[in-house]
Amino acid sequence: MSECYEYVPHRLLRRRVRDIASGTEGVLMAVVNENVSDTGIERWMELAYIRNASGREFTTAVTNIEPTVDR
């Protein structure tokens, strides 16, 4: 995979979000437009980097995130 990426501004940066696909909640740390292809043909995707309660970060598609309701 190529090491090509760029940071993308997002309205939910540094706010609590939920990954719809897994149900996991955390803080949105970054949104990156990244080449996710492992072939010679580029495939770009916006990925959300979310830090969960344990401090570990995971990625999901930006379209899978939603803001959480403050409790």
Side-chain angles (χ1 to χ4, degrees), residues 25-27 29 50-58:
E25 294 185 9
V27 176
M29 302 306 292
I50 301 170
R51 183 175 295 160
N52 65 19
S54 72
R56 181 169 258 173
E57 288 187 12
F58 66 95

Side-chain angles (χ1 to χ4, degrees), residues 1 16 18 20-21 25 27 34 39 42-43 60 70:
M1 178 168 62
R16 285 197 60 77
R18 176 181 300 109
I20 297 168
E25 294 185 9
V27 176
E34 189 170 336
T39 67
E42 292 184 354
R43 182 169 174 252
T60 190
D70 291 333

Side-chain angles (χ1 to χ4, degrees), residues 19-57:
D19 172 23
I20 297 168
S22 68
T24 306
E25 294 185 9
V27 176
L28 181 62
M29 302 306 292
V31 174
V32 176
N33 190 23
E34 189 170 336
N35 180 8
V36 295
S37 174
D38 59 357
T39 67
I41 301 170
E42 292 184 354
R43 182 169 174 252
W44 292 85
M45 183 174 180
E46 285 191 354
L47 296 176
Y49 283 75
I50 301 170
R51 183 175 295 160
N52 65 19
S54 72
R56 181 169 258 173
E57 288 187 12

